[in-house]
PDB file of all heavy atoms in Angstrom:
ATOM      1  N   GLY A1237      21.708 -80.894   7.608  1.00  0.00           N
ATOM      2  CA  GLY A1237      22.215 -82.039   6.869  1.00  0.00           C
ATOM      3  C   GLY A1237      23.101 -82.917   7.727  1.00  0.00           C
ATOM      4  O   GLY A1237      23.022 -82.894   8.962  1.00  0.00           O
ATOM      5  N   ILE A1238      23.971 -83.690   7.074  1.00  0.00           N
ATOM      6  CA  ILE A1238      24.819 -84.675   7.752  1.00  0.00           C
ATOM      7  C   ILE A1238      26.289 -84.360   7.510  1.00  0.00           C
ATOM      8  O   ILE A1238      26.688 -84.002   6.399  1.00  0.00           O
ATOM      9  CB  ILE A1238      24.521 -86.096   7.236  1.00  0.00           C
ATOM     10  CG1 ILE A1238      23.106 -86.516   7.605  1.00  0.00           C
ATOM     11  CG2 ILE A1238      25.526 -87.113   7.787  1.00  0.00           C
ATOM     12  CD1 ILE A1238      22.698 -87.843   6.994  1.00  0.00           C
ATOM     13  N   SER A1239      27.095 -84.540   8.553  1.00  0.00           N
ATOM     14  CA  SER A1239      28.548 -84.510   8.432  1.00  0.00           C
ATOM     15  C   SER A1239      29.087 -85.865   8.853  1.00  0.00           C
ATOM     16  O   SER A1239      28.827 -86.313   9.969  1.00  0.00           O
ATOM     17  CB  SER A1239      29.162 -83.417   9.317  1.00  0.00           C
ATOM     18  OG  SER A1239      28.882 -82.133   8.829  1.00  0.00           O
ATOM     19  N   LYS A1240      29.830 -86.520   7.947  1.00  0.00           N
ATOM     20  CA  LYS A1240      30.462 -87.798   8.274  1.00  0.00           C
ATOM     21  C   LYS A1240      31.951 -87.574   8.494  1.00  0.00           C
ATOM     22  O   LYS A1240      32.656 -87.081   7.608  1.00  0.00           O
ATOM     23  CB  LYS A1240      30.233 -88.816   7.147  1.00  0.00           C
ATOM     24  CG  LYS A1240      30.838 -90.197   7.465  1.00  0.00           C
ATOM     25  CD  LYS A1240      30.467 -91.240   6.434  1.00  0.00           C
ATOM     26  CE  LYS A1240      31.258 -91.075   5.155  1.00  0.00           C
ATOM     27  NZ  LYS A1240      31.113 -92.243   4.250  1.00  0.00           N
ATOM     28  N   LEU A1241      32.424 -87.928   9.694  1.00  0.00           N
ATOM     29  CA  LEU A1241      33.839 -87.790  10.018  1.00  0.00           C
ATOM     30  C   LEU A1241      34.561 -89.067   9.604  1.00  0.00           C
ATOM     31  O   LEU A1241      34.350 -90.132  10.181  1.00  0.00           O
ATOM     32  CB  LEU A1241      34.026 -87.531  11.510  1.00  0.00           C
ATOM     33  CG  LEU A1241      35.457 -87.315  12.001  1.00  0.00           C
ATOM     34  CD1 LEU A1241      36.071 -86.079  11.346  1.00  0.00           C
ATOM     35  CD2 LEU A1241      35.495 -87.184  13.518  1.00  0.00           C
ATOM     36  N   SER A1242      35.400 -88.950   8.592  1.00  0.00           N
ATOM     37  CA  SER A1242      36.119 -90.099   8.048  1.00  0.00           C
ATOM     38  C   SER A1242      37.579 -89.716   7.842  1.00  0.00           C
ATOM     39  O   SER A1242      37.872 -88.757   7.128  1.00  0.00           O
ATOM     40  CB  SER A1242      35.494 -90.547   6.725  1.00  0.00           C
ATOM     41  OG  SER A1242      36.169 -91.665   6.186  1.00  0.00           O
ATOM     42  N   ASP A1243      38.484 -90.461   8.487  1.00  0.00           N
ATOM     43  CA  ASP A1243      39.928 -90.196   8.380  1.00  0.00           C
ATOM     44  C   ASP A1243      40.266 -88.756   8.746  1.00  0.00           C
ATOM     45  O   ASP A1243      41.111 -88.105   8.118  1.00  0.00           O
ATOM     46  CB  ASP A1243      40.434 -90.510   6.965  1.00  0.00           C
ATOM     47  CG  ASP A1243      40.299 -91.986   6.605  1.00  0.00           C
ATOM     48  OD1 ASP A1243      40.459 -92.824   7.515  1.00  0.00           O
ATOM     49  OD2 ASP A1243      40.022 -92.291   5.438  1.00  0.00           O
ATOM     50  N   GLY A1244      39.581 -88.245   9.761  1.00  0.00           N
ATOM     51  CA  GLY A1244      39.890 -86.919  10.273  1.00  0.00           C
ATOM     52  C   GLY A1244      39.272 -85.762   9.532  1.00  0.00           C
ATOM     53  O   GLY A1244      39.507 -84.594   9.894  1.00  0.00           O
ATOM     54  N   ALA A1245      38.473 -86.021   8.494  1.00  0.00           N
ATOM     55  CA  ALA A1245      37.860 -84.945   7.711  1.00  0.00           C
ATOM     56  C   ALA A1245      36.350 -85.126   7.656  1.00  0.00           C
ATOM     57  O   ALA A1245      35.837 -86.254   7.700  1.00  0.00           O
ATOM     58  CB  ALA A1245      38.436 -84.912   6.301  1.00  0.00           C
ATOM     59  N   PHE A1246      35.626 -84.015   7.567  1.00  0.00           N
ATOM     60  CA  PHE A1246      34.173 -84.055   7.467  1.00  0.00           C
ATOM     61  C   PHE A1246      33.737 -84.119   6.007  1.00  0.00           C
ATOM     62  O   PHE A1246      34.204 -83.339   5.173  1.00  0.00           O
ATOM     63  CB  PHE A1246      33.553 -82.817   8.124  1.00  0.00           C
ATOM     64  CG  PHE A1246      33.672 -82.790   9.621  1.00  0.00           C
ATOM     65  CD1 PHE A1246      34.546 -81.914  10.250  1.00  0.00           C
ATOM     66  CD2 PHE A1246      32.917 -83.643  10.406  1.00  0.00           C
ATOM     67  CE1 PHE A1246      34.656 -81.882  11.620  1.00  0.00           C
ATOM     68  CE2 PHE A1246      33.018 -83.623  11.788  1.00  0.00           C
ATOM     69  CZ  PHE A1246      33.897 -82.739  12.399  1.00  0.00           C
ATOM     70  N   ILE A1247      32.843 -85.069   5.712  1.00  0.00           N
ATOM     71  CA  ILE A1247      32.192 -85.167   4.405  1.00  0.00           C
ATOM     72  C   ILE A1247      30.725 -84.808   4.627  1.00  0.00           C
ATOM     73  O   ILE A1247      30.044 -85.456   5.446  1.00  0.00           O
ATOM     74  CB  ILE A1247      32.314 -86.578   3.813  1.00  0.00           C
ATOM     75  CG1 ILE A1247      33.791 -86.984   3.714  1.00  0.00           C
ATOM     76  CG2 ILE A1247      31.648 -86.654   2.446  1.00  0.00           C
ATOM     77  CD1 ILE A1247      33.990 -88.449   3.373  1.00  0.00           C
ATOM     78  N   ASN A1248      30.235 -83.802   3.918  1.00  0.00           N
ATOM     79  CA  ASN A1248      28.904 -83.271   4.188  1.00  0.00           C
ATOM     80  C   ASN A1248      27.875 -83.699   3.139  1.00  0.00           C
ATOM     81  O   ASN A1248      28.186 -83.821   1.951  1.00  0.00           O
ATOM     82  CB  ASN A1248      28.953 -81.746   4.277  1.00  0.00           C
ATOM     83  CG  ASN A1248      29.794 -81.270   5.452  1.00  0.00           C
ATOM     84  OD1 ASN A1248      29.853 -81.937   6.486  1.00  0.00           O
ATOM     85  ND2 ASN A1248      30.442 -80.128   5.304  1.00  0.00           N
ATOM     86  N   PHE A1249      26.647 -83.928   3.631  1.00  0.00           N
ATOM     87  CA  PHE A1249      25.526 -84.322   2.771  1.00  0.00           C
ATOM     88  C   PHE A1249      24.330 -83.433   3.098  1.00  0.00           C
ATOM     89  O   PHE A1249      24.028 -83.190   4.268  1.00  0.00           O
ATOM     90  CB  PHE A1249      25.137 -85.786   2.985  1.00  0.00           C
ATOM     91  CG  PHE A1249      26.263 -86.763   2.753  1.00  0.00           C
ATOM     92  CD1 PHE A1249      27.088 -87.161   3.794  1.00  0.00           C
ATOM     93  CD2 PHE A1249      26.500 -87.288   1.484  1.00  0.00           C
ATOM     94  CE1 PHE A1249      28.111 -88.065   3.585  1.00  0.00           C
ATOM     95  CE2 PHE A1249      27.528 -88.195   1.262  1.00  0.00           C
ATOM     96  CZ  PHE A1249      28.340 -88.589   2.317  1.00  0.00           C
ATOM     97  N   SER A1250      23.637 -83.005   2.058  1.00  0.00           N
ATOM     98  CA  SER A1250      22.416 -82.220   2.225  1.00  0.00           C
ATOM     99  C   SER A1250      21.455 -82.598   1.099  1.00  0.00           C
ATOM    100  O   SER A1250      21.698 -83.541   0.350  1.00  0.00           O
ATOM    101  CB  SER A1250      22.732 -80.721   2.191  1.00  0.00           C
ATOM    102  OG  SER A1250      23.166 -80.344   0.891  1.00  0.00           O
ATOM    103  N   VAL A1251      20.372 -81.860   0.973  1.00  0.00           N
ATOM    104  CA  VAL A1251      19.420 -82.137  -0.102  1.00  0.00           C
ATOM    105  C   VAL A1251      20.082 -81.987  -1.469  1.00  0.00           C
ATOM    106  O   VAL A1251      19.676 -82.605  -2.451  1.00  0.00           O
ATOM    107  CB  VAL A1251      18.180 -81.222   0.000  1.00  0.00           C
ATOM    108  CG1 VAL A1251      17.344 -81.580   1.211  1.00  0.00           C
ATOM    109  CG2 VAL A1251      18.581 -79.748   0.047  1.00  0.00           C
ATOM    110  N   GLN A1252      21.133 -81.173  -1.533  1.00  0.00           N
ATOM    111  CA  GLN A1252      21.854 -81.005  -2.796  1.00  0.00           C
ATOM    112  C   GLN A1252      22.597 -82.272  -3.207  1.00  0.00           C
ATOM    113  O   GLN A1252      22.908 -82.457  -4.381  1.00  0.00           O
ATOM    114  CB  GLN A1252      22.839 -79.837  -2.670  1.00  0.00           C
ATOM    115  CG  GLN A1252      22.171 -78.496  -2.487  1.00  0.00           C
ATOM    116  CD  GLN A1252      23.172 -77.363  -2.334  1.00  0.00           C
ATOM    117  OE1 GLN A1252      24.330 -77.591  -1.997  1.00  0.00           O
ATOM    118  NE2 GLN A1252      22.721 -76.137  -2.577  1.00  0.00           N
ATOM    119  N   ASN A1253      22.867 -83.146  -2.216  1.00  0.00           N
ATOM    120  CA  ASN A1253      23.534 -84.420  -2.506  1.00  0.00           C
ATOM    121  C   ASN A1253      22.567 -85.598  -2.564  1.00  0.00           C
ATOM    122  O   ASN A1253      22.997 -86.739  -2.704  1.00  0.00           O
ATOM    123  CB  ASN A1253      24.595 -84.707  -1.440  1.00  0.00           C
ATOM    124  CG  ASN A1253      25.550 -83.556  -1.245  1.00  0.00           C
ATOM    125  OD1 ASN A1253      25.453 -82.821  -0.266  1.00  0.00           O
ATOM    126  ND2 ASN A1253      26.478 -83.384  -2.182  1.00  0.00           N
ATOM    127  N   GLY A1254      21.254 -85.308  -2.438  1.00  0.00           N
ATOM    128  CA  GLY A1254      20.263 -86.369  -2.544  1.00  0.00           C
ATOM    129  C   GLY A1254      19.492 -86.673  -1.283  1.00  0.00           C
ATOM    130  O   GLY A1254      18.576 -87.509  -1.305  1.00  0.00           O
ATOM    131  N   LEU A1255      19.838 -86.037  -0.149  1.00  0.00           N
ATOM    132  CA  LEU A1255      19.067 -86.244   1.078  1.00  0.00           C
ATOM    133  C   LEU A1255      17.621 -85.803   0.880  1.00  0.00           C
ATOM    134  O   LEU A1255      17.346 -84.831   0.179  1.00  0.00           O
ATOM    135  CB  LEU A1255      19.670 -85.457   2.233  1.00  0.00           C
ATOM    136  CG  LEU A1255      20.778 -86.093   3.071  1.00  0.00           C
ATOM    137  CD1 LEU A1255      21.219 -85.128   4.159  1.00  0.00           C
ATOM    138  CD2 LEU A1255      20.342 -87.409   3.674  1.00  0.00           C
ATOM    139  N   ILE A1256      16.711 -86.505   1.518  1.00  0.00           N
ATOM    140  CA  ILE A1256      15.297 -86.168   1.378  1.00  0.00           C
ATOM    141  C   ILE A1256      14.946 -84.888   2.121  1.00  0.00           C
ATOM    142  O   ILE A1256      14.009 -84.182   1.761  1.00  0.00           O
ATOM    143  CB  ILE A1256      14.417 -87.348   1.867  1.00  0.00           C
ATOM    144  CG1 ILE A1256      12.986 -87.198   1.356  1.00  0.00           C
ATOM    145  CG2 ILE A1256      14.452 -87.489   3.386  1.00  0.00           C
ATOM    146  CD1 ILE A1256      12.148 -88.432   1.543  1.00  0.00           C
ATOM    147  N   ASP A1257      15.723 -84.568   3.172  1.00  0.00           N
ATOM    148  CA  ASP A1257      15.476 -83.361   3.958  1.00  0.00           C
ATOM    149  C   ASP A1257      16.734 -83.052   4.757  1.00  0.00           C
ATOM    150  O   ASP A1257      17.497 -83.957   5.088  1.00  0.00           O
ATOM    151  CB  ASP A1257      14.277 -83.555   4.890  1.00  0.00           C
ATOM    152  CG  ASP A1257      13.822 -82.246   5.515  1.00  0.00           C
ATOM    153  OD1 ASP A1257      13.158 -81.456   4.819  1.00  0.00           O
ATOM    154  OD2 ASP A1257      14.123 -82.026   6.702  1.00  0.00           O
ATOM    155  N   ASN A1258      16.956 -81.795   5.073  1.00  0.00           N
ATOM    156  CA  ASN A1258      18.157 -81.401   5.811  1.00  0.00           C
ATOM    157  C   ASN A1258      18.003 -81.512   7.327  1.00  0.00           C
ATOM    158  O   ASN A1258      18.999 -81.490   8.050  1.00  0.00           O
ATOM    159  CB  ASN A1258      18.552 -79.967   5.468  1.00  0.00           C
ATOM    160  CG  ASN A1258      19.230 -79.866   4.116  1.00  0.00           C
ATOM    161  OD1 ASN A1258      19.793 -80.831   3.615  1.00  0.00           O
ATOM    162  ND2 ASN A1258      19.169 -78.689   3.513  1.00  0.00           N
ATOM    163  N   THR A1259      16.773 -81.616   7.815  1.00  0.00           N
ATOM    164  CA  THR A1259      16.545 -81.726   9.255  1.00  0.00           C
ATOM    165  C   THR A1259      16.667 -83.184   9.672  1.00  0.00           C
ATOM    166  O   THR A1259      15.778 -83.999   9.424  1.00  0.00           O
ATOM    167  CB  THR A1259      15.156 -81.187   9.634  1.00  0.00           C
ATOM    168  OG1 THR A1259      15.048 -79.829   9.199  1.00  0.00           O
ATOM    169  CG2 THR A1259      14.947 -81.252  11.134  1.00  0.00           C
ATOM    170  N   ILE A1260      17.782 -83.518  10.314  1.00  0.00           N
ATOM    171  CA  ILE A1260      18.073 -84.905  10.686  1.00  0.00           C
ATOM    172  C   ILE A1260      17.626 -85.152  12.126  1.00  0.00           C
ATOM    173  O   ILE A1260      18.035 -84.432  13.045  1.00  0.00           O
ATOM    174  CB  ILE A1260      19.580 -85.208  10.550  1.00  0.00           C
ATOM    175  CG1 ILE A1260      20.097 -84.724   9.186  1.00  0.00           C
ATOM    176  CG2 ILE A1260      19.843 -86.688  10.760  1.00  0.00           C
ATOM    177  CD1 ILE A1260      19.405 -85.328   7.990  1.00  0.00           C
ATOM    178  N   ASN A1261      16.815 -86.194  12.330  1.00  0.00           N
ATOM    179  CA  ASN A1261      16.330 -86.529  13.667  1.00  0.00           C
ATOM    180  C   ASN A1261      17.041 -87.727  14.285  1.00  0.00           C
ATOM    181  O   ASN A1261      17.248 -87.776  15.494  1.00  0.00           O
ATOM    182  CB  ASN A1261      14.823 -86.822  13.627  1.00  0.00           C
ATOM    183  CG  ASN A1261      14.011 -85.614  13.246  1.00  0.00           C
ATOM    184  OD1 ASN A1261      14.408 -84.474  13.491  1.00  0.00           O
ATOM    185  ND2 ASN A1261      12.858 -85.843  12.635  1.00  0.00           N
ATOM    186  N   CYS A1262      17.392 -88.721  13.464  1.00  0.00           N
ATOM    187  CA  CYS A1262      17.968 -89.951  13.993  1.00  0.00           C
ATOM    188  C   CYS A1262      18.701 -90.691  12.881  1.00  0.00           C
ATOM    189  O   CYS A1262      18.463 -90.450  11.692  1.00  0.00           O
ATOM    190  CB  CYS A1262      16.883 -90.848  14.595  1.00  0.00           C
ATOM    191  SG  CYS A1262      15.581 -91.314  13.418  1.00  0.00           S
ATOM    192  N   MET A1263      19.591 -91.610  13.271  1.00  0.00           N
ATOM    193  CA  MET A1263      20.333 -92.424  12.308  1.00  0.00           C
ATOM    194  C   MET A1263      20.518 -93.825  12.872  1.00  0.00           C
ATOM    195  O   MET A1263      20.625 -94.016  14.087  1.00  0.00           O
ATOM    196  CB  MET A1263      21.692 -91.786  12.010  1.00  0.00           C
ATOM    197  CG  MET A1263      21.597 -90.454  11.278  1.00  0.00           C
ATOM    198  SD  MET A1263      23.220 -89.709  10.946  1.00  0.00           S
ATOM    199  CE  MET A1263      23.714 -89.235  12.602  1.00  0.00           C
ATOM    200  N   TYR A1264      20.572 -94.816  11.960  1.00  0.00           N
ATOM    201  CA  TYR A1264      20.716 -96.210  12.383  1.00  0.00           C
ATOM    202  C   TYR A1264      21.420 -97.001  11.281  1.00  0.00           C
ATOM    203  O   TYR A1264      21.092 -96.834  10.094  1.00  0.00           O
ATOM    204  CB  TYR A1264      19.342 -96.835  12.671  1.00  0.00           C
ATOM    205  CG  TYR A1264      19.408 -98.269  13.141  1.00  0.00           C
ATOM    206  CD1 TYR A1264      19.651 -98.568  14.478  1.00  0.00           C
ATOM    207  CD2 TYR A1264      19.245 -99.324  12.249  1.00  0.00           C
ATOM    208  CE1 TYR A1264      19.728 -99.882  14.918  1.00  0.00           C
ATOM    209  CE2 TYR A1264      19.324-100.640  12.680  1.00  0.00           C
ATOM    210  CZ  TYR A1264      19.569-100.918  14.014  1.00  0.00           C
ATOM    211  OH  TYR A1264      19.654-102.216  14.443  1.00  0.00           O
ATOM    212  N   GLU A1265      22.375 -97.852  11.667  1.00  0.00           N
ATOM    213  CA  GLU A1265      23.035 -98.737  10.705  1.00  0.00           C
ATOM    214  C   GLU A1265      22.484-100.149  10.856  1.00  0.00           C
ATOM    215  O   GLU A1265      22.509-100.720  11.956  1.00  0.00           O
ATOM    216  CB  GLU A1265      24.542 -98.756  10.922  1.00  0.00           C
ATOM    217  CG  GLU A1265      25.281 -99.588   9.867  1.00  0.00           C
ATOM    218  CD  GLU A1265      26.786 -99.656  10.096  1.00  0.00           C
ATOM    219  OE1 GLU A1265      27.217 -99.409  11.246  1.00  0.00           O
ATOM    220  OE2 GLU A1265      27.521 -99.973   9.145  1.00  0.00           O
ATOM    221  N   ASP A1266      21.976-100.731   9.768  1.00  0.00           N
ATOM    222  CA  ASP A1266      21.405-102.074   9.851  1.00  0.00           C
ATOM    223  C   ASP A1266      22.491-103.142   9.705  1.00  0.00           C
ATOM    224  O   ASP A1266      23.678-102.845   9.541  1.00  0.00           O
ATOM    225  CB  ASP A1266      20.279-102.259   8.826  1.00  0.00           C
ATOM    226  CG  ASP A1266      20.758-102.212   7.378  1.00  0.00           C
ATOM    227  OD1 ASP A1266      21.949-102.451   7.110  1.00  0.00           O
ATOM    228  OD2 ASP A1266      19.919-101.945   6.487  1.00  0.00           O
ATOM    229  N   ALA A1267      22.090-104.397   9.784  1.00  0.00           N
ATOM    230  CA  ALA A1267      23.030-105.517   9.767  1.00  0.00           C
ATOM    231  C   ALA A1267      23.779-105.633   8.447  1.00  0.00           C
ATOM    232  O   ALA A1267      24.853-106.248   8.392  1.00  0.00           O
ATOM    233  CB  ALA A1267      22.291-106.813  10.072  1.00  0.00           C
ATOM    234  N   SER A1268      23.237-105.048   7.389  1.00  0.00           N
ATOM    235  CA  SER A1268      23.890-105.087   6.081  1.00  0.00           C
ATOM    236  C   SER A1268      24.812-103.902   5.837  1.00  0.00           C
ATOM    237  O   SER A1268      25.421-103.797   4.771  1.00  0.00           O
ATOM    238  CB  SER A1268      22.824-105.145   4.968  1.00  0.00           C
ATOM    239  OG  SER A1268      22.021-106.308   5.103  1.00  0.00           O
ATOM    240  N   GLY A1269      24.905-103.008   6.809  1.00  0.00           N
ATOM    241  CA  GLY A1269      25.763-101.836   6.673  1.00  0.00           C
ATOM    242  C   GLY A1269      25.095-100.634   6.050  1.00  0.00           C
ATOM    243  O   GLY A1269      25.760 -99.621   5.802  1.00  0.00           O
ATOM    244  N   ASN A1270      23.789-100.713   5.787  1.00  0.00           N
ATOM    245  CA  ASN A1270      23.063 -99.554   5.278  1.00  0.00           C
ATOM    246  C   ASN A1270      22.807 -98.567   6.410  1.00  0.00           C
ATOM    247  O   ASN A1270      22.432 -98.968   7.519  1.00  0.00           O
ATOM    248  CB  ASN A1270      21.727 -99.978   4.667  1.00  0.00           C
ATOM    249  CG  ASN A1270      21.883-100.988   3.554  1.00  0.00           C
ATOM    250  OD1 ASN A1270      22.639-100.773   2.621  1.00  0.00           O
ATOM    251  ND2 ASN A1270      21.181-102.113   3.659  1.00  0.00           N
ATOM    252  N   VAL A1271      22.975 -97.289   6.141  1.00  0.00           N
ATOM    253  CA  VAL A1271      22.716 -96.251   7.132  1.00  0.00           C
ATOM    254  C   VAL A1271      21.366 -95.612   6.838  1.00  0.00           C
ATOM    255  O   VAL A1271      21.159 -95.026   5.772  1.00  0.00           O
ATOM    256  CB  VAL A1271      23.830 -95.193   7.139  1.00  0.00           C
ATOM    257  CG1 VAL A1271      23.473 -94.048   8.079  1.00  0.00           C
ATOM    258  CG2 VAL A1271      25.155 -95.818   7.564  1.00  0.00           C
ATOM    259  N   TRP A1272      20.447 -95.768   7.792  1.00  0.00           N
ATOM    260  CA  TRP A1272      19.105 -95.199   7.679  1.00  0.00           C
ATOM    261  C   TRP A1272      19.086 -93.857   8.401  1.00  0.00           C
ATOM    262  O   TRP A1272      19.471 -93.762   9.562  1.00  0.00           O
ATOM    263  CB  TRP A1272      18.080 -96.144   8.300  1.00  0.00           C
ATOM    264  CG  TRP A1272      17.926 -97.450   7.576  1.00  0.00           C
ATOM    265  CD1 TRP A1272      18.854 -98.443   7.482  1.00  0.00           C
ATOM    266  CD2 TRP A1272      16.782 -97.894   6.859  1.00  0.00           C
ATOM    267  NE1 TRP A1272      18.361 -99.489   6.740  1.00  0.00           N
ATOM    268  CE2 TRP A1272      17.088 -99.185   6.343  1.00  0.00           C
ATOM    269  CE3 TRP A1272      15.522 -97.343   6.596  1.00  0.00           C
ATOM    270  CZ2 TRP A1272      16.181 -99.916   5.586  1.00  0.00           C
ATOM    271  CZ3 TRP A1272      14.619 -98.073   5.847  1.00  0.00           C
ATOM    272  CH2 TRP A1272      14.951 -99.353   5.343  1.00  0.00           C
ATOM    273  N   VAL A1273      18.621 -92.845   7.697  1.00  0.00           N
ATOM    274  CA  VAL A1273      18.602 -91.486   8.246  1.00  0.00           C
ATOM    275  C   VAL A1273      17.154 -91.012   8.326  1.00  0.00           C
ATOM    276  O   VAL A1273      16.480 -90.868   7.304  1.00  0.00           O
ATOM    277  CB  VAL A1273      19.428 -90.530   7.367  1.00  0.00           C
ATOM    278  CG1 VAL A1273      19.377 -89.117   7.939  1.00  0.00           C
ATOM    279  CG2 VAL A1273      20.869 -91.017   7.254  1.00  0.00           C
TER     280      VAL A1273
END
């Protein structure tokens, strides 16, 4: 899954939080601020 480091703490995301899959290959932020995983 994903760990987001924000203000010194990790916020975790997995399929239990709505991710389509836990195996993360790449990430990209578009011009509108959307994060593509």
Side-chain angles (χ1 to χ4, degrees):
I1238 295 174
S1239 289
K1240 182 173 76 168
L1241 182 62
S1242 180
D1243 296 326
F1246 290 108
I1247 303 170
N1248 296 328
F1249 303 91
S1250 68
V1251 291
Q1252 294 179 340
N1253 308 104
L1255 273 180
I1256 197 168
D1257 191 77
N1258 283 336
T1259 303
I1260 311 302
N1261 295 332
C1262 59
M1263 293 180 290
Y1264 181 83
E1265 184 182 21
D1266 66 22
S1268 300
N1270 303 308
V1271 174
W1272 294 67
V1273 179

